[in-house]
Amino acid sequence: MSGPDAQTKMQFLFALRSKGVTDARVLNAMEEIDRGPFVRGIFTDRAYEDMPLPIACGQTISQPSVVGIMTQALQVSPRDKVLEVGTGSGYQAAILSKLARRVYTVERHARLVREAQEIFQALQLVNITTMTADGSFGLPDQAPFDRIIVTAAAEDPPGPLLAQLKIGGIMVVPVGQSDAVQTLIRVRRSESGFDYDEIRPVRFVPLLEGLGKDG
């Protein structure tokens, strides 16, 4: 699949910067990972617009500027082990793979996992481990994590995920009632507990327990 032309890519990056994505490593990763393959069907021609788009299983691929803001807030370093809860299209995990040592991504819909794995293999992103599981419980076997990113909204930062964050680690998660605008929160874990700061209002699908009913 051919990527966007130079002008489309330039407009895409300009839109990211104008929305507050200024971290050079994040912008480089988002320039390197083409959003096109992660958008399927009738929406493929809108892959480079700054808007969320529907994907399978009633989920969405977040608008690029929100992906950029969340990734920037996570402050990923090249040695970090990252957990993503909510693989979705795989776009966020692919960008994280360019910034971190290892990415574990968990999704409750098996179909989305299969489709994301196909793209990761095609792009030769070998440092991503994708699995079908209830992400609200995290991945205790692989914990602790340097960074955790949640791409679905919870009423509060989930306790199991907080427990799997390293001392000095950062989690970025949208919180709030699922049918209203939520707030993107950054949580830092210190020796004495957790510090929270608000980043911006966002809208995400709710974080649901259990596995999806698809095949």
Side-chain angles (χ1 to χ4, degrees):
M1 183 179 288
S2 62
D5 60 38
Q7 185 178 359
T8 302
K9 183 165 272 193
M10 196 166 70
Q11 290 170 337
F12 179 77
L13 292 168
F14 178 78
L16 293 175
R17 288 192 189 94
S18 68
K19 297 283 180 66
V21 184
T22 55
D23 183 287
R25 289 183 70 234
V26 174
L27 286 167
N28 287 343
M30 295 187 74
E31 184 174 10
E32 202 173 335
I33 296 294
D34 180 8
R35 193 178 184 232
F38 298 92
V39 179
R40 301 187 177 210
I42 60 172
F43 296 101
T44 50
D45 60 340
R46 311 192 77 170
Y48 306 105
E49 296 178 28
D50 191 35
M51 61 188 299
L53 294 169
I55 58 172
C57 306
Q59 305 299 298
T60 55
I61 178 172
S62 296
Q63 69 193 81
S65 61
V66 171
V67 171
I69 291 290
M70 290 182 77
T71 306
Q72 183 170 275
L74 206 59
Q75 299 174 3
V76 181
S77 77
R79 296 184 58 82
D80 284 346
K81 181 168 72 169
V82 181
L83 171 64
E84 179 192 33
V85 176
T87 309
S89 68
Y91 180 60
Q92 174 75 75
I95 288 164
L96 289 168
S97 77
K98 295 294 182 181
L99 300 168
R101 177 173 58 87
R102 186 94 217 151
V103 178
Y104 291 86
T105 181
V106 182
E107 171 59 57
R108 59 194 294 271
H109 294 284
R111 175 182 170 183
L112 295 180
V113 169
R114 287 195 301 272
E115 291 179 356
Q117 283 174 326
E118 288 171 9
I119 301 173
F120 299 155
Q121 286 167 359
L123 298 178
Q124 299 181 317
L125 303 176
V126 297
N127 62 337
I128 305 176
T129 301
T130 316
M131 56 194 77
T132 307
D134 181 346
S136 58
F137 295 107
L139 278 180
D141 293 351
Q142 297 297 336
F145 294 95
D146 300 289
R147 301 289 186 267
I148 298 176
I149 185 168
V150 185
T151 60
E155 289 194 22
D156 297 293
L161 300 184
L162 291 172
Q164 291 171 35
L165 194 59
K166 262 187 192 168
I167 303 291
I170 294 174
M171 176 162 73
V172 172
V173 54
V175 297
Q177 300 295 334
S178 60
D179 57 350
V181 173
Q182 305 113 11
T183 303
L184 192 62
I185 301 285
R186 177 167 47 206
V187 186
R188 297 175 189 268
R189 186 169 193 179
S190 66
E191 296 281 359
S192 56
F194 298 95
D195 299 311
Y196 300 83
D197 60 298
E198 296 185 0
I199 298 169
R200 54 165 281 176
V202 286
R203 286 199 80 148
F204 277 88
V205 296
L207 181 65
L208 301 174
E209 292 190 359
L211 298 180
K213 297 291 190 282
D214 53 291

